[in-house]
Each structure stands twice: as structure tokens, then as C-alpha cells.
Amino acid sequence: MFEAFPLLMFVLAIGILLLGYPVAFSLAGSALAFGGFAFSIGLFDISFFSALPARIYGIMGNQTLIAVPLFIFMGVMLERSKISEELLTTLGLLFGQIKGGIGVSIFLVGALLAASTGIVGATVVTMGLISLPVMLRYNYKPSFSAGIICASGTLGQIIPPSIILVLLGDVISSAYQQAQLNLGNFAPGSVSVGDLFLGALFPGFVLVGCYIIYILVASYFNPNLAPAIPAAEVEKAYSDGMFLRVLQVLIPPLLLIMGVLGSILAGMATPTEAASVGCIGAIILTKIKGQLKKEILKSVLDKVVQINAMVFIILIGSSMFSLVFRGLGGDEVIARYLQNLPGGVVAAFLLVMLVIFILGFFLDFFEITFVVVPIVGPILLMMGLDPIWLGIMIAMNLQTSFLTPPFGFALFYLRGVAPDHISTKEIYQGVIPFIAIQILVMGLLALFPEIVTWLPHYIYGS
Amino acid sequence: MAHLLRISRYIDETNKKMGDFAGWLILAMAIVTFIVVILRYFFNLGWVWIQDSVSYMHGASFMLAAAYTLLNNEHVRVDILYQPLSEAKKAKVNIIGTSLLLFPFCFLIWFYGFEYVANSWAVFEGSKETGGLGGVYIVKSLVIIFPTLLFLQGVSEIIKAVEIIKKSGDLQTQTTKQVGPDV
């Protein structure tokens, strides 16, 4: 009975979340209700609640997470100044001469720019609004187009510098320290956000590479899938000074992203510092485009404030939830269960991944990162998994979950912005190849963990 | 009801101002951090108090804007079941959620936070590190300002939700059995 109690809390919380009230307050409110109930029957020490203010203040003072609003700012600024959009249409024209070329350019832009906000919904909606009409105009098959948009919308989460990796890096790092303390190592090593960025780099390349190969091969063998842009149109574009335009549109944001990422990876700047440079860079690019007007700046800040508050209030709500969950001994129950699974660390890992995958149907990245990873992370890490590898696997797992019908987040959001003549069934059909690619790449990372761990270990030499 | 709606509007305006202020804080964070980078790499200069100021602005940016985000309905929801509901039913979910989930949470933070903040004020808590910006007691006060703003916004949301339900009820009685009083 007592064993099942914390799990009951989890089930109750999911039930309450399904009502549709904002996640942050649902988590906090259900934890409070459950804690109060457990207190009344003597299972919960109410003084756990008194740690809440210090926790909130701790979140306010967390130095790593200062990078989050800055990366959001950079991303929203690039989006509102239409830099992303122009990049997409220009690259589309450039690659459009080959079959499937527009699809390729969408993945490249997604990998480059979608990264910064990292919110599946926002990215899929933006990409859907900008690129779906373009693909349909050039007679791309609707299901194929839908698959491309959903996959590129979730791609941003795994490609650094995504805020998802910043948040995950913070959580994994404390999980790693706790795991080492539990193992009796009182001078624990650490994992940084930079480590996670480095770890995500090769898997990200592999993933984008597989996506692009699939698009090119599929559209080569099936000419109706993604036809090339008519030659006449391409010629017209070139006579209008296409080459110069490509340079103008492509180089500045490319330099910006590479500068931001490079300085973090080279260990020159902390993610926060690099993000601030990215913000100023985005402002300058907007200024050059003549878009830096007061209304635009205001609308960007307004958007950033709300995304930022949304993320951090979920963090506060989740910390309330885990406070009660721990107070009820929930982490011990889970630890005992996972450690006693027949099949050891592999079985424990697979089970956790399955649970996270299913939770990904209901919860966005943030909730899972803040609620689930702190609970299961230390246990898996104590069983000997590499923290960077675990972080990347969790990120990719969730990304896959967001793509999977019928509940995947990306599908819902695309449904919201797609025209009615594209059926939901077509959207589902379109993502299936990409889910297969996701699973393939995850299998690859499981077989060859070096794809993740080699670069960070090589650079930081730990 | 007119009185209540006026209160609601007043709360909304207040939190809108908080949101705007938080926006400028984020812009300031970006600029100040950028200046820190320039000073460090080109002039080899750095002060703890500048770092502190960024950290304070960061904390304030989301603590002050949480209620504003609620006003704009930008806190994510699990909307599998919520999305298809009529406006009136959504309003009911929001009334229940605000009173049973949000309000208790606000009270709890207030209850424990008050002592936490009072202790800090009692000694005018300063920085832990030398050369810090100080004024920690002011920043810590956000721990109770945050639930206060959220609570007020919750009140405003309930007032607006009741208005929506009333309106859709009126509509239903006027146009008997017409489909979708979805206003």
C-alpha cells in the first residue's frame, strides 16, 4: 500500500493535467492536495513544504538557466525580423532545382534556427505557416510535406544551442552529482551544458544527414513526391541576382549561429555569454534589414517574456511536485524497483525510456525534464550510464515521442495550421518514415555510444 | 457584475505593466551580459556586482511576468481534452483550476514565504560574496510578490470566466437549441 502511494500521486497528477488547466499550476496544485491528504493520514511530513521558498529563490538564482531567456530572445528576434523566413525561401529556391530540394532546405533551416526556442509547438507552427504553402505550391505530396515539417520542427530540440539542452544539462548535472555522492564519491565530477552541446553535435549531424538522404532518395525514385522547381522559374530568379541574394541572406545568420555555438564549444564563453552575443547579433541583423522598429522590438520582448515565464513557472511547479514526491519516499520506491529489475541496467534504461516516451504524449519537454529526469536520472547514473549519453538519448526519445501518432505534439500543432484539404491521416502517414529514422539513429547511438561521448571527452579530456 | 469586471480590468492592466517591465529587464540582461563579455575579453575587467545584477533581473523577469502570462493564456496546457471544449466549458475548467489548483498554491507560497522574506528583511540580507550587489532582501521579496500577482490574476480570470458562462447561457436561452453557442 505505502509502496504504491507515490505512484498513485503520479497517476492523479496526470489525471488532473488532462483537465487542461495550465501544467505548472496543475502539477503544483495536485502535489499540494496529495501532500495535504498524505499528511492527514500521517504519511507525509508537512515541514517539507517549508523548503519551498528557498527552492524558488534557488531557481531565481540559478546561473546556468540565465541562458534560457537570452536564447529565446535570439530565436524570437530572428523569427520576427523574417530572417528565418527569407532564409527558407532563398535556400528553397537554391536547392529547389533538384527533386526534394525544398525539403532539404527546410531541414537545414530547422537545424540552424529552430534550435533557439526549442518549443515544439512554436517551431512546428512557424515552419508550417512558412513552408507548407511553399511545398504545396510546387506540388509536393501533402503527406510528404507534413512529415518534413513535423520532423524539422522537433529537430531543433536536439541541435545545439537549443534551450532544451540547456535545461536538460542543468538537470543531468545535478543528477550526476547526486549519483556520485550516493556512490560515496565526495569530490564528484561535473557535466556542463557545454558537454551536452558537444555530445549532441554528432548525433544531430547524423540525424539531419539521414533525414536529407531519405528525402533525396525517396523523391528521386518517386517523381510525384517532391518535384523540382520548374526550370523557367529558377532561371528567372538567377537573372534577378539570385547568387548575391543567397550570400546576403545566408551568411549573416550562419555566422551568428556558428559564432554562438563555436564560442561555447571551444570553451571560450559560457552558454549565457554566448547567448548574449547571439542576442546583440540578432538585433544588429534586424537593424541591417531595417526591421528594428519599436513595435517589433516590443512584440519580440512581449513574446520572450511569456515563453520565459511559462518555462520557469513549470520549473517551480515541478519542484513543488518533486518535493512532495520525495517527501512520500517516491524516489526510493522507484530506485528499489529499477535496481531490482531482472536484466540490470539495460532493462532499467529501456523501461525508463518507454515511460518517458509515453509521457511525451501528454507532457511537453519541460515537464518531463523537470519532473521525471531528477527522479530517475541519479538511479540510472548510479547504475553506470554515461551522463552525456543519457541526456542525449532522453532528448532524442522525446523528440520521437512528439512525432508519434496519434498523440504526438508536433502532429497536433501542424493539424492546427494545415489547410483542411490535408487529412489527418496524411499527416500521420507522412511522419512514419521519420519515426523510423529516429528509431534507427537511436539504435545507432545505443550500439555506438562513442558517437555521443567521443567529442566531449576528446575536447575536455575527461 | 460591472463592478467586478472593472476590478478585473484593473488587475489586467497592472499585470500588463509588470509584463512590459519584465520585457525591458530581459533586454537589459542581454545588453549587460554582452557588456560583461566585452569587458572580460578585451579589457580583462569584471565585477561581481554586474553578474549579480543580471541574475537579479533574470529572477525578476519571470517572477513578475508569471501572472501576465496567465492573463494571455500562454502557460502551456495539456489540451487533448481541453481544446475541443466549448468556450463556456473551458471557462468552467478555468474556474475550477484557478480555485482548486492555483489559489492553494499561491497561499502555500505566501504562508511559508512570508517568514522566509521577513527573516531576510530583519537583517537586511546582503550579498554572500564580497563585491556583490547586495539588496538580497529586496530580491527575495519576489517570493511573495509572485504569488500575490498570480492570485490577483486568478481572481480576474474567474471574473472573466463567469462572464463568459453567463453570456453563453443568455445566448442559449435566446436561441433555443441552436448549435454551438461558441462565443
Side-chain angles (χ1 to χ4, degrees), chain A residues 93-348:
Chain A
L93 218 56
L94 184 70
F95 291 116
Q97 308 162 47
I98 41 173
K99 288 175 197 153
I102 303 177
V104 172
S105 70
I106 289 170
F107 275 117
L108 292 179
V109 175
L112 265 181
L113 294 181
S116 21
T117 54
I119 292 153
V120 193
T123 321
V124 171
V125 167
T126 320
M127 298 292 267
L129 286 174
I130 304 172
S131 55
L132 191 58
V134 179
M135 284 193 281
L136 294 179
R137 190 168 71 222
Y138 290 109
N139 292 320
Y140 273 48
K141 205 174 160 198
S143 65
F144 194 61
S145 315
I148 290 174
I149 290 173
C150 289
S152 72
T154 59
L155 191 63
Q157 307 189 324
I158 182 119
I159 309 271
S162 83
I163 62 161
I164 296 301
L165 291 176
V166 177
L167 296 167
L168 200 57
D170 188 56
V171 173
I172 287 273
S173 147
S174 38
Y176 187 50
Q177 300 217 338
Q178 203 195 326
Q180 288 181 323
L181 284 176
N182 291 352
L183 288 173
N185 177 358
F186 291 101
S190 67
V191 181
S192 70
V193 173
D195 290 332
L196 222 59
F197 278 5
L198 277 173
L201 212 55
F202 281 151
F205 284 150
V206 172
L207 196 61
V208 178
C210 289
Y211 279 169
I212 289 179
I213 292 171
Y214 163 71
I215 292 186
L216 291 179
V217 171
S219 37
Y220 181 78
F221 285 108
N222 184 352
N224 296 328
L225 211 53
I229 296 180
E233 226 170 295
V234 176
E235 250 162 58
K236 187 176 172 298
Y238 271 94
S239 62
D240 290 350
M242 169 78 177
F243 191 68
L244 200 69
R245 215 171 89 215
V246 170
L247 287 183
Q248 271 174 353
V249 170
L250 184 63
I251 303 292
L254 203 63
L255 278 181
L256 182 68
I257 298 287
M258 291 200 332
V260 168
L261 205 53
S263 58
I264 301 172
L265 298 185
M268 278 166 59
T270 64
T272 306
E273 291 171 342
S276 80
V277 176
C279 291
I280 304 298
I283 293 177
I284 293 173
L285 291 191
T286 312
K287 173 82 190 160
I288 292 172
K289 282 202 70 211
Q291 294 275 351
L292 194 62
K293 299 174 197 123
K294 203 175 174 204
E295 315 87 72
I296 292 194
L297 184 63
K298 268 189 145 173
S299 83
V300 168
L301 289 176
D302 191 55
K303 185 86 195 161
V304 177
V305 158
Q306 298 186 44
I307 298 177
N308 187 47
M310 183 270 284
V311 173
F312 280 93
I313 306 311
I314 293 179
L315 182 50
I316 291 176
S318 309
S319 78
M320 168 93 191
F321 184 88
S322 43
L323 204 65
V324 176
F325 192 76
R326 292 238 162 92
L328 290 168
D331 46 349
E332 285 150 39
V333 173
I334 291 186
R336 221 173 307 132
Y337 182 72
L338 285 178
Q339 279 160 350
N340 292 334
L341 276 181
V345 64
V346 176

Side-chain angles (χ1 to χ4, degrees), chain A residues 26-39:
Chain A
S26 299
L27 281 172
S30 59
L32 176 56
F34 206 79
F37 171 67
F39 170 69

Side-chain angles (χ1 to χ4, degrees), chain A residues 17 20-23 25 28 32 49-50 56-57 63 268 273 276 280 301-302 305-306 308-310 312 320 362, chain B residues 23 33-34 37 40-41 55 58 61-63 65 68-69 72 74 76-78 98 102 104-105 108 112 116 136:
Chain A
L17 282 171
Y21 196 64
V23 170
F25 310 125
L32 176 56
F49 282 145
S50 61
I56 294 178
Y57 186 66
Q63 296 298 311
M268 278 166 59
E273 291 171 342
S276 80
I280 304 298
L301 289 176
D302 191 55
V305 158
Q306 298 186 44
N308 187 47
M310 183 270 284
F312 280 93
M320 168 93 191
F362 310 101
Chain B
T33 311
F34 183 70
V37 174
R40 164 109 43 88
Y41 288 98
S55 176
H58 168 64
S61 73
F62 60 85
M63 296 295 268
Y68 174 61
T69 309
N72 284 326
E74 286 288 327
V76 256
R77 301 166 183 264
V78 176
T98 309
L102 179 66
F105 176 55
L108 187 81
Y112 287 102
Y116 183 76
V136 169

Side-chain angles (χ1 to χ4, degrees), chain A residues 55-63 65-70 305 308-309 312-313 315-316, chain B residues 18 21-23 25-26 29 51-67 138-146 149:
Chain A
R55 281 219 177 182
I56 294 178
Y57 186 66
I59 292 170
M60 289 168 62
N62 184 319
Q63 296 298 311
L65 299 183
I66 297 179
V68 171
L70 300 183
V305 158
N308 187 47
F312 280 93
I313 306 311
L315 182 50
I316 291 176
Chain B
M18 292 292 168
F21 178 62
L25 284 182
I26 290 181
M29 273 170 70
Q51 297 283 5
D52 279 355
S53 76
V54 173
S55 176
Y56 291 179
M57 287 190 277
H58 168 64
S61 73
F62 60 85
M63 296 295 268
L64 292 177
I138 299 172
V139 184
K140 273 195 179 169
S141 308
L142 286 166
V143 171
I144 51 176
I145 294 173
F146 158 71
L149 291 174

